[in-house]
């Protein structure tokens, strides 16, 4: 599971430069019952969900959990937040569900954090979209009023009224 946000810094405002900020996280939980054959599957998953992250870097981190060609559940977490890591893509691996620290003391699991961030960004994008729609409706109403005044002026001219 995960979320991706590539856009303007929050809070979104009209006219802010787009695609200058990155905030994303991908969480993958997996276990292998045949590491020799299944590692190709994790290479595929990582290359599709975390492009640019080389599997050869991840392999040794996963191999530390391999016993008799099997692994327990392994939790992989990839994240990037331009505010925190200067654009670097971060990675962690372990057998515990990863936690994310927010603020100074608030700790939550990565899946809960991902769900919360999805809702947050969806709300921000919906809010900005509503602002644009409201502005567009205002422009349409102003244009209709101008058109109506123009029609009235033209009708008065035709009738010889002032």
């Amino acid at each position: 599971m995960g979320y991706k946000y590539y856009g303007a810094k929050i809070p979104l405002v009209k006219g802010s430069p787009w695609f200058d900020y990155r905030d994303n996280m991908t969480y993958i939980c997996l276990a292998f019952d045949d590491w020799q054959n299944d590692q190709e599957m994790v290479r595929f998953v990582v290359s599709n969900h975390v492009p640019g992250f080389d599997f050869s870097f991840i392999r040794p981190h996963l191999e530390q959990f391999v016993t008799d060609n099997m692994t327990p559940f392994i939790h992989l977490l990839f994240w990037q937040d331009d505010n925190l890591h200067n654009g670097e893509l971060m990675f962690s691996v372990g057998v515990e569900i990863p936690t994310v620290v927010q603020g100074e003391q608030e700790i939550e699991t990565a899946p809960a954090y991902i769900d919360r961030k999805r809702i947050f960004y969806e709300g921000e994008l919906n809010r900005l979209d509503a602002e644009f729609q409201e502005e567009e409706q205002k422009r349409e109403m102003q244009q209709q009023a101008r058109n109506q005044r123009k029609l009235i002026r033209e009708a008065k001219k035709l009738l010889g009224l002032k």
Side-chain angles (χ1 to χ4, degrees):
M1 68 186 303
Y3 72 92
K4 287 187 189 286
Y5 176 76
Y6 302 138
K9 284 194 176 188
I10 301 297
L12 296 175
V13 292
K14 292 181 279 238
S16 60
W18 204 247
F19 293 107
D20 65 346
Y21 175 70
R22 293 173 176 265
D23 180 10
N24 59 83
M25 183 175 286
T26 302
Y27 167 64
I28 302 169
C29 178
L30 41 81
F32 300 101
D33 58 6
D34 184 358
W35 170 248
Q36 292 305 315
N37 291 321
D38 292 343
Q39 62 184 300
E40 192 56 41
M41 182 248 338
V42 78
R43 178 194 316 271
F44 174 79
V45 169
V46 168
S47 67
N48 282 302
H49 292 284
V50 191
F53 213 92
D54 190 356
F55 182 72
S56 63
F57 174 80
I58 298 169
R59 180 183 295 144
H61 295 282
L62 297 176
E63 286 176 340
Q64 69 181 326
F65 300 105
V66 176
T67 305
D68 296 329
N69 202 35
M70 298 173 70
T71 70
F73 280 102
I74 300 172
H75 304 272
L76 305 172
L77 189 63
F78 303 87
W79 73 97
Q80 180 178 24
D81 183 336
D82 285 357
N83 282 340
L84 301 176
H85 309 109
N86 200 23
E88 291 183 37
L89 184 60
M90 309 298 283
F91 167 71
S92 70
V93 61
V95 292
E96 304 276 329
I97 295 175
T99 56
V100 178
V101 178
Q102 286 303 302
E104 304 228 349
Q105 298 174 350
E106 186 180 330
I107 297 174
E108 62 186 320
T109 67
Y113 178 81
I114 289 168
D115 285 341
R116 189 170 56 77
K117 285 295 237 181
R118 279 181 180 164
I119 291 167
F120 171 75
Y121 282 120
E122 183 179 333
E124 277 296 301
L125 293 171
N126 287 340
R127 180 191 59 75
L128 186 63
D129 188 44
E131 283 180 19
F132 279 120
Q133 287 179 6
E134 183 179 321
E135 193 173 285
E136 184 63 30
Q137 287 175 344
K138 251 190 232 178
R139 275 195 294 268
E140 278 182 38
M141 290 172 58
Q142 288 171 344
Q143 187 61 43
Q144 287 174 357
R146 279 192 286 276
N147 291 344
Q148 191 174 26
R149 288 191 302 270
K150 183 179 177 183
L151 285 173
I152 291 170
R153 278 193 310 271
E154 289 175 4
K156 284 181 177 181
K157 278 183 187 178
L158 288 174
L159 294 172
L161 303 173
K162 284 196 170 197

